[in-house]
Amino acid sequence: MPNNFFSWYFQSGIQSIISSRLHNLNVTWNYLNVVGLLKTLLSPYRRLSVEKKAPEYGVSTAFDKIIFNTISRFIGAFVRFFLLIAGLTGFALYTTFTVLTTLVLLI
């Protein structure tokens, strides 16, 4: 092996490997959007909500509207919570894999 490879590897190769791995982790974390999921945790699922345009009176219509909107919010919270847990678990596994493979490359 020529001396140029070893000088490149120990001077700039290691730094470029580490910086590219950190960049990949940062892109993955931003793609997951944890803050956005937490901000909209109790938003209705797919923005489904009941809004009656025609004036109907009675306890039944108001009760139906409240029940549907509440169920839609719980479904939205469940879906977002599941995505949050799955995303954080996947990111933890990806981070572990990235750290281990980087250490193997550096040895």
Side-chain angles (χ1 to χ4, degrees), residues 16-28 98 102:
S16 66
I17 288 171
I18 292 173
S19 67
S20 69
R21 296 295 172 107
L22 289 175
H23 175 72
N24 288 344
L25 286 173
N26 190 23
V27 167
T28 305
T98 301
T102 303

Side-chain angles (χ1 to χ4, degrees), residues 9 14 17 20-21 98-107:
Y9 184 76
I14 293 174
I17 288 171
S20 69
R21 296 295 172 107
T98 301
V99 168
L100 291 177
T101 55
T102 303
L103 289 176
V104 168
L105 286 175
L106 297 179
I107 293 178

Side-chain angles (χ1 to χ4, degrees), residues 43-53 64-73:
S43 296
Y45 180 65
R46 294 190 178 189
R47 298 184 202 156
L48 293 176
S49 60
V50 174
E51 295 178 9
K52 296 286 184 182
K53 294 183 181 179
D64 289 343
K65 183 178 172 182
I66 291 171
I67 292 297
F68 181 82
N69 290 341
T70 304
I71 289 173
S72 179
R73 288 185 185 271

Side-chain angles (χ1 to χ4, degrees), residues 28-50:
T28 305
W29 180 256
N30 288 334
Y31 184 75
L32 181 60
N33 193 13
V34 173
V35 176
L37 285 173
L38 288 175
K39 282 183 180 178
T40 61
L41 187 64
L42 293 177
S43 296
Y45 180 65
R46 294 190 178 189
R47 298 184 202 156
L48 293 176
S49 60
V50 174

